[in-house]
Amino acid sequence: MPDACIAVIPARGGSKRVPGKNIKPLMGKPLIAYTVEAAADSGLFERIVVSTDCPEIAEVAQRHGAEVPFLREASLADDITPVSAATVDMLVKLDPNGSSYGFVCQMMPNCPLKTAADVRDSHRQFLESRADSQLSVVRYGWQNPWWAMRRDDSFRLDPLFREAMTQRSQDLPELFCPTGAIWWAKADVLRREGTYHIPEKTGWEIPWQRGLDIDTYDDWDMAEILFRLDSASRR
């Protein structure tokens, strides 16, 4: 199997909670540009391609150094199709015989704070672990997920993990949440399974600040704060 890596950046045009999110300027730069640049600066990829159904996103992505070989079909750009389906579609169309790429990295543009070093570090763990698939994850912080509760219409609370409610937080195992920052898979496995969510997947931990997913305007505000803090720390 070849060792070459391809980066796929899925960026559909139908964002509802933050319209036009993928090309909306963040700190003076289109959101998608941060992910394209992190991929390019990592030095790992034979190709960096964007999967989008939107000509405007395609134009911005190309201007910042990515390829957009074709526009994504509408059936792969709705609200219910898994993102991995768009990545598999791109892989199969660019490498129909499976002879060009050994590894596929999916990077979501709504995680703009990841760095080229993060991409390299995640790749290193992926190879060393010999996993078939690897997701980037962040460690839960002050909101302890073991103490999660449901609340019904009468405001009654029902613990999800009843036994954990009587335990101290320091005595409970660490839990992790996936973030779309950097996902790796062996190309043949992704073709076969059609998803990164396979039983044999592993997790690479990224600091929560750099794993932030922007899905709402509040997330956008948080990203701006984190960028400013990072900029101030470098002075």
Side-chain angles (χ1 to χ4, degrees), residues 23-44:
I23 55 176
K24 179 179 169 66
L26 175 66
M27 305 297 289
K29 188 186 301 182
L31 184 69
I32 196 171
Y34 291 97
T35 296
V36 174
E37 291 172 4
D41 292 346
S42 74
L44 291 175

Side-chain angles (χ1 to χ4, degrees), residues 42-234:
S42 74
L44 291 175
F45 301 106
E46 295 291 323
R47 298 179 74 174
I48 300 167
V49 296
V50 169
S51 171
T52 184
D53 59 318
C54 174
E56 191 175 3
I57 292 176
E59 189 277 326
V60 172
Q62 289 170 322
R63 183 166 11 111
H64 286 273
E67 297 179 55
V68 185
F70 53 84
L71 290 181
R72 193 194 307 182
E73 297 172 9
S75 62
L76 294 173
D78 56 29
D79 291 332
I80 59 175
T81 301
V83 174
S84 296
T87 299
V88 173
D89 175 67
M90 179 66 75
L91 176 64
V92 170
K93 287 179 178 175
L94 295 186
D95 186 18
N97 298 320
S99 59
S100 298
Y101 306 107
F103 306 103
V104 186
C105 184
Q106 176 182 284
M107 288 185 281
M108 298 302 295
N110 62 321
C111 300
L113 286 111
K114 60 183 171 291
T115 66
D118 291 328
V119 180
R120 289 191 293 269
D121 289 345
S122 66
H123 179 249
R124 185 178 305 112
Q125 178 182 295
F126 178 58
L127 293 183
E128 290 175 353
S129 68
R130 299 186 178 184
D132 285 338
S133 172
Q134 175 182 280
L135 310 185
S136 51
V137 297
V138 294
R139 192 181 299 251
Y140 279 98
W142 62 274
Q143 291 182 319
N144 190 337
W146 285 109
W147 294 343
M149 298 185 185
R150 294 189 183 95
R151 190 176 71 172
D152 65 18
D153 294 339
S154 299
F155 310 111
R156 287 190 296 263
L157 296 176
D158 181 27
L160 292 182
F161 310 106
R162 292 185 180 278
E163 294 181 1
M165 295 301 296
T166 59
Q167 298 184 53
R168 301 183 305 167
S169 60
Q170 59 265 42
D171 296 331
L172 295 167
E174 291 280 3
L175 294 180
F176 297 85
C177 181
T179 169
I182 311 166
W183 291 12
W184 288 94
K186 294 176 180 176
D188 60 338
V189 172
L190 188 61
R191 286 169 179 271
R192 183 179 70 243
E193 303 293 336
T195 180
Y196 285 81
H197 291 284
I198 61 175
E200 298 80 13
K201 63 182 177 290
T202 58
W204 173 78
E205 184 178 359
I206 186 172
W208 74 265
Q209 298 92 333
R210 299 202 301 275
L212 176 70
D213 282 277
I214 297 178
D215 292 317
T216 66
Y217 283 109
D218 286 343
D219 299 334
W220 191 280
D221 291 342
M222 176 63 77
E224 289 186 339
I225 291 169
L226 293 173
F227 269 115
R228 290 192 180 101
L229 288 173
D230 181 66
S231 178
S233 69
R234 295 173 187 269

